[in-house]
Tab-separated table of all heavy atoms in Angstrom:
chain	number	residue	atom	x	y	z
A	1	THR	N	282.850	234.538	116.319
A	1	THR	CA	281.804	234.495	115.305
A	1	THR	C	281.384	235.894	114.874
A	1	THR	O	281.309	236.210	113.681
A	1	THR	CB	280.592	233.709	115.834
A	1	THR	OG1	281.006	232.395	116.180
A	1	THR	CG2	279.481	233.641	114.757
A	2	ILE	N	281.099	236.733	115.868
A	2	ILE	CA	280.682	238.081	115.554
A	2	ILE	C	281.828	238.922	114.983
A	2	ILE	O	281.671	239.632	113.960
A	2	ILE	CB	280.083	238.787	116.774
A	2	ILE	CG1	278.889	237.997	117.336
A	2	ILE	CG2	279.657	240.193	116.457
A	2	ILE	CD1	278.322	238.531	118.614
A	3	GLY	N	282.959	238.860	115.632
A	3	GLY	CA	284.103	239.695	115.245
A	3	GLY	C	284.632	239.349	113.875
A	3	GLY	O	284.955	240.266	113.111
A	4	VAL	N	284.763	238.055	113.558
A	4	VAL	CA	285.316	237.709	112.228
A	4	VAL	C	284.339	238.084	111.140
A	4	VAL	O	284.723	238.585	110.060
A	4	VAL	CB	285.579	236.168	112.190
A	4	VAL	CG1	285.922	235.729	110.791
A	4	VAL	CG2	286.732	235.825	113.134
A	5	SER	N	283.043	237.911	111.380
A	5	SER	CA	282.059	238.296	110.366
A	5	SER	C	282.113	239.832	110.100
A	5	SER	O	282.169	240.245	108.939
A	5	SER	CB	280.665	237.935	110.870
A	5	SER	OG	280.532	236.531	111.047
A	6	LEU	N	282.124	240.620	111.165
A	6	LEU	CA	282.199	242.068	110.963
A	6	LEU	C	283.559	242.506	110.380
A	6	LEU	O	283.599	243.419	109.549
A	6	LEU	CB	281.998	242.779	112.324
A	6	LEU	CG	280.606	242.641	112.955
A	6	LEU	CD1	280.587	243.348	114.296
A	6	LEU	CD2	279.552	243.249	112.018
A	7	GLY	N	284.605	241.812	110.771
A	7	GLY	CA	285.929	242.155	110.239
A	7	GLY	C	286.052	241.869	108.738
A	7	GLY	O	286.619	242.625	107.958
A	8	LEU	N	285.452	240.729	108.308
A	8	LEU	CA	285.496	240.413	106.872
A	8	LEU	C	284.682	241.396	106.099
A	8	LEU	O	285.118	241.850	105.005
A	8	LEU	CB	284.915	238.990	106.676
A	8	LEU	CG	285.759	237.814	107.161
A	8	LEU	CD1	285.002	236.513	107.048
A	8	LEU	CD2	287.065	237.744	106.341
A	9	ILE	N	283.505	241.763	106.586
A	9	ILE	CA	282.671	242.766	105.903
A	9	ILE	C	283.370	244.128	105.866
A	9	ILE	O	283.427	244.788	104.789
A	9	ILE	CB	281.309	242.884	106.587
A	9	ILE	CG1	280.535	241.568	106.475
A	9	ILE	CG2	280.503	244.016	105.974
A	9	ILE	CD1	279.272	241.506	107.266
A	10	SER	N	283.927	244.572	106.998
A	10	SER	CA	284.527	245.860	107.044
A	10	SER	C	285.774	245.919	106.165
A	10	SER	O	285.989	246.906	105.398
A	10	SER	CB	284.950	246.139	108.512
A	10	SER	OG	285.638	247.374	108.624
A	11	GLY	N	286.656	244.931	106.266
A	11	GLY	CA	287.884	244.980	105.485
A	11	GLY	C	287.688	244.827	103.987
A	11	GLY	O	288.402	245.491	103.214
A	12	TYR	N	286.739	244.012	103.568
A	12	TYR	CA	286.595	243.767	102.102
A	12	TYR	C	285.748	244.825	101.429
A	12	TYR	O	286.055	245.245	100.313
A	12	TYR	CB	285.999	242.396	101.871
A	12	TYR	CG	286.048	241.967	100.453
A	12	TYR	CD1	287.226	241.488	99.879
A	12	TYR	CD2	284.954	242.115	99.596
A	12	TYR	CE1	287.298	241.141	98.510
A	12	TYR	CE2	284.969	241.761	98.261
A	12	TYR	CZ	286.162	241.242	97.731
A	12	TYR	OH	286.208	240.894	96.396
A	13	MET	N	284.650	245.264	102.108
A	13	MET	CA	283.769	246.228	101.476
A	13	MET	C	284.308	247.623	101.530
A	13	MET	O	284.165	248.413	100.557
A	13	MET	CB	282.379	246.165	102.158
A	13	MET	CG	281.654	244.852	101.936
A	13	MET	SD	279.952	244.911	102.523
A	13	MET	CE	279.217	246.150	101.487
A	14	GLY	N	284.936	248.016	102.642
A	14	GLY	CA	285.499	249.351	102.770
A	14	GLY	C	284.393	250.396	102.801
A	14	GLY	O	283.220	250.141	103.057
A	15	GLY	N	284.738	251.630	102.468
A	15	GLY	CA	283.788	252.717	102.346
A	15	GLY	C	283.093	253.054	103.652
A	15	GLY	O	283.713	252.947	104.737
A	16	TRP	N	281.841	253.424	103.537
A	16	TRP	CA	281.096	253.867	104.758
A	16	TRP	C	280.860	252.695	105.726
A	16	TRP	O	280.781	252.853	106.954
A	16	TRP	CB	279.770	254.498	104.364
A	16	TRP	CG	278.789	253.521	103.735
A	16	TRP	CD1	278.644	253.245	102.421
A	16	TRP	CD2	277.800	252.738	104.430
A	16	TRP	NE1	277.651	252.345	102.202
A	16	TRP	CE2	277.132	252.022	103.437
A	16	TRP	CE3	277.435	252.620	105.753
A	16	TRP	CZ2	276.091	251.136	103.747
A	16	TRP	CZ3	276.433	251.696	106.063
A	16	TRP	CH2	275.755	250.970	105.075
A	17	VAL	N	280.761	251.468	105.158
A	17	VAL	CA	280.609	250.277	106.019
A	17	VAL	C	281.803	250.102	106.940
A	17	VAL	O	281.680	249.893	108.139
A	17	VAL	CB	280.361	249.026	105.179
A	17	VAL	CG1	280.281	247.790	106.084
A	17	VAL	CG2	279.085	249.155	104.354
A	18	ASP	N	282.958	250.253	106.344
A	18	ASP	CA	284.191	250.157	107.117
A	18	ASP	C	284.311	251.255	108.151
A	18	ASP	O	284.697	251.019	109.329
A	18	ASP	CB	285.400	250.189	106.166
A	18	ASP	CG	286.696	250.015	106.895
A	18	ASP	OD1	286.737	249.349	107.971
A	18	ASP	OD2	287.747	250.555	106.444
A	19	ARG	N	283.887	252.464	107.826
A	19	ARG	CA	283.948	253.558	108.740
A	19	ARG	C	283.052	253.374	109.919
A	19	ARG	O	283.376	253.676	111.056
A	19	ARG	CB	283.647	254.870	108.022
A	19	ARG	CG	284.772	255.306	107.048
A	19	ARG	CD	284.537	256.775	106.606
A	19	ARG	NE	283.372	256.893	105.850
A	19	ARG	CZ	283.291	256.777	104.501
A	19	ARG	NH1	284.397	256.463	103.841
A	19	ARG	NH2	282.151	256.909	103.850
A	20	VAL	N	281.813	252.887	109.673
A	20	VAL	CA	280.843	252.693	110.738
A	20	VAL	C	281.323	251.596	111.698
A	20	VAL	O	281.288	251.762	112.907
A	20	VAL	CB	279.460	252.325	110.130
A	20	VAL	CG1	278.525	251.843	111.255
A	20	VAL	CG2	278.878	253.500	109.393
A	21	ILE	N	281.747	250.443	111.164
A	21	ILE	CA	282.203	249.349	111.969
A	21	ILE	C	283.439	249.747	112.771
A	21	ILE	O	283.559	249.443	113.995
A	21	ILE	CB	282.437	248.091	111.187
A	21	ILE	CG1	281.120	247.594	110.518
A	21	ILE	CG2	283.074	246.999	112.007
A	21	ILE	CD1	281.289	246.413	109.632
A	22	SER	N	284.364	250.431	112.113
A	22	SER	CA	285.592	250.845	112.795
A	22	SER	C	285.288	251.826	113.917
A	22	SER	O	285.932	251.837	114.973
A	22	SER	CB	286.584	251.447	111.791
A	22	SER	OG	286.986	250.494	110.851
A	23	SER	N	284.335	252.716	113.684
A	23	SER	CA	284.012	253.703	114.720
A	23	SER	C	283.364	253.025	115.931
A	23	SER	O	283.656	253.393	117.095
A	23	SER	CB	282.970	254.728	114.163
A	23	SER	OG	283.554	255.443	113.081
A	24	LEU	N	282.513	252.016	115.740
A	24	LEU	CA	281.922	251.270	116.836
A	24	LEU	C	283.001	250.514	117.601
A	24	LEU	O	282.998	250.497	118.855
A	24	LEU	CB	280.850	250.292	116.334
A	24	LEU	CG	279.613	250.967	115.742
A	24	LEU	CD1	278.678	249.832	115.147
A	24	LEU	CD2	278.824	251.726	116.819
A	25	VAL	N	283.912	249.916	116.887
A	25	VAL	CA	285.023	249.184	117.529
A	25	VAL	C	285.892	250.120	118.374
A	25	VAL	O	286.228	249.844	119.527
A	25	VAL	CB	285.868	248.443	116.472
A	25	VAL	CG1	287.173	247.918	117.119
A	25	VAL	CG2	285.059	247.322	115.844
A	26	ASN	N	286.227	251.292	117.824
A	26	ASN	CA	287.070	252.225	118.527
A	26	ASN	C	286.363	252.785	119.782
A	26	ASN	O	286.931	253.050	120.808
A	26	ASN	CB	287.477	253.403	117.611
A	26	ASN	CG	288.414	252.957	116.538
A	26	ASN	OD1	289.210	251.998	116.697
A	26	ASN	ND2	288.388	253.629	115.417
A	27	LEU	N	284.983	252.942	119.653
A	27	LEU	CA	284.222	253.410	120.755
A	27	LEU	C	284.248	252.412	121.925
A	27	LEU	O	284.417	252.799	123.088
A	27	LEU	CB	282.750	253.664	120.340
A	27	LEU	CG	281.805	254.133	121.463
A	27	LEU	CD1	282.254	255.471	121.966
A	27	LEU	CD2	280.389	254.204	120.875
A	28	ILE	N	284.108	251.152	121.602
A	28	ILE	CA	284.105	250.114	122.652
A	28	ILE	C	285.505	250.017	123.271
A	28	ILE	O	285.681	249.924	124.478
A	28	ILE	CB	283.659	248.760	122.099
A	28	ILE	CG1	282.212	248.840	121.616
A	28	ILE	CG2	283.814	247.652	123.127
A	28	ILE	CD1	281.723	247.567	120.944
A	29	LEU	N	286.553	250.052	122.459
A	29	LEU	CA	287.906	249.926	122.917
A	29	LEU	C	288.400	251.133	123.704
A	29	LEU	O	289.375	251.090	124.438
A	29	LEU	CB	288.900	249.676	121.743
A	29	LEU	CG	288.730	248.352	121.036
A	29	LEU	CD1	289.667	248.286	119.824
A	29	LEU	CD2	288.988	247.163	121.989
A	30	SER	N	287.697	252.262	123.548
A	30	SER	CA	288.071	253.475	124.313
A	30	SER	C	287.732	253.357	125.797
A	30	SER	O	288.276	254.107	126.615
A	30	SER	CB	287.363	254.675	123.715
A	30	SER	OG	285.963	254.605	123.848
A	31	VAL	N	286.835	252.414	126.132
A	31	VAL	CA	286.442	252.204	127.527
A	31	VAL	C	287.355	251.138	128.117
A	31	VAL	O	287.530	250.080	127.477
A	31	VAL	CB	284.992	251.775	127.641
A	31	VAL	CG1	284.585	251.583	129.107
A	31	VAL	CG2	284.054	252.779	126.971
A	32	PRO	N	287.951	251.313	129.280
A	32	PRO	CA	288.800	250.258	129.872
A	32	PRO	C	288.020	248.938	130.013
A	32	PRO	O	286.866	248.927	130.432
A	32	PRO	CB	289.101	250.833	131.261
A	32	PRO	CG	289.054	252.335	131.080
A	32	PRO	CD	287.942	252.552	130.065
A	33	TYR	N	288.661	247.873	129.573
A	33	TYR	CA	287.964	246.584	129.454
A	33	TYR	C	287.382	246.150	130.797
A	33	TYR	O	286.227	245.684	130.851
A	33	TYR	CB	288.909	245.540	128.910
A	33	TYR	CG	288.280	244.164	128.752
A	33	TYR	CD1	287.398	243.932	127.682
A	33	TYR	CD2	288.559	243.156	129.651
A	33	TYR	CE1	286.823	242.697	127.532
A	33	TYR	CE2	287.951	241.909	129.502
A	33	TYR	CZ	287.091	241.688	128.439
A	33	TYR	OH	286.475	240.451	128.292
A	34	LEU	N	288.167	246.201	131.842
A	34	LEU	CA	287.662	245.690	133.132
A	34	LEU	C	286.513	246.538	133.630
A	34	LEU	O	285.536	245.956	134.183
A	34	LEU	CB	288.802	245.762	134.165
A	34	LEU	CG	288.496	245.153	135.514
A	34	LEU	CD1	288.138	243.675	135.364
A	34	LEU	CD2	289.707	245.270	136.436
A	35	VAL	N	286.526	247.846	133.396
A	35	VAL	CA	285.397	248.681	133.786
A	35	VAL	C	284.146	248.300	132.988
A	35	VAL	O	283.053	248.219	133.502
A	35	VAL	CB	285.756	250.179	133.570
A	35	VAL	CG1	284.513	251.058	133.833
A	35	VAL	CG2	286.904	250.581	134.478
A	36	LEU	N	284.335	248.092	131.673
A	36	LEU	CA	283.211	247.693	130.849
A	36	LEU	C	282.560	246.391	131.291
A	36	LEU	O	281.339	246.287	131.359
A	36	LEU	CB	283.698	247.612	129.385
A	36	LEU	CG	282.640	247.269	128.342
A	36	LEU	CD1	281.586	248.380	128.251
A	36	LEU	CD2	283.272	247.074	126.963
A	37	VAL	N	283.409	245.435	131.616
A	37	VAL	CA	282.889	244.113	132.049
A	37	VAL	C	282.171	244.210	133.400
A	37	VAL	O	281.067	243.676	133.578
A	37	VAL	CB	284.041	243.102	132.136
A	37	VAL	CG1	283.572	241.789	132.801
A	37	VAL	CG2	284.571	242.794	130.742
A	38	ILE	N	282.742	244.979	134.313
A	38	ILE	CA	282.113	245.137	135.644
A	38	ILE	C	280.785	245.846	135.558
A	38	ILE	O	279.791	245.430	136.193
A	38	ILE	CB	283.054	245.862	136.590
A	38	ILE	CG1	284.287	245.001	136.939
A	38	ILE	CG2	282.353	246.232	137.911
A	38	ILE	CD1	285.298	245.684	137.815
A	39	VAL	N	280.700	246.892	134.752
A	39	VAL	CA	279.430	247.606	134.599
A	39	VAL	C	278.377	246.707	133.951
A	39	VAL	O	277.246	246.702	134.390
A	39	VAL	CB	279.676	248.897	133.777
A	39	VAL	CG1	278.350	249.546	133.376
A	39	VAL	CG2	280.523	249.879	134.521
A	40	ALA	N	278.779	245.986	132.904
A	40	ALA	CA	277.835	245.109	132.235
A	40	ALA	C	277.353	244.012	133.155
A	40	ALA	O	276.156	243.701	133.196
A	40	ALA	CB	278.483	244.520	130.957
A	41	ALA	N	278.237	243.422	133.948
A	41	ALA	CA	277.857	242.357	134.875
A	41	ALA	C	276.933	242.924	135.983
A	41	ALA	O	275.997	242.235	136.390
A	41	ALA	CB	279.095	241.756	135.504
A	42	THR	N	277.163	244.157	136.376
A	42	THR	CA	276.332	244.775	137.401
A	42	THR	C	274.883	245.013	136.868
A	42	THR	O	273.905	244.825	137.549
A	42	THR	CB	276.907	246.061	137.894
A	42	THR	OG1	278.253	245.834	138.382
A	42	THR	CG2	276.063	246.682	139.006
């Protein structure tokens, strides 16, 4: 629900909206997934 909504907005609108959303996505993906989940659960 969240990902498709943001992806539609980012891909269709482009510009600074796309850059902001893509930067947030890249920031989250830069952290190893298992480490991120364990830290959040803790």
Side-chain angles (χ1 to χ4, degrees):
T1 301
I2 301 175
V4 171
S5 300
L6 293 177
L8 290 173
I9 296 173
S10 176
Y12 190 79
M13 295 188 64
W16 67 270
V17 176
D18 183 28
R19 290 193 294 271
V20 170
I21 295 178
S22 297
S23 299
L24 292 175
V25 169
N26 292 331
L27 178 63
I28 297 176
L29 292 176
S30 64
V31 182
Y33 180 75
L34 186 58
V35 174
L36 182 63
V37 170
I38 291 176
V39 171
T42 304

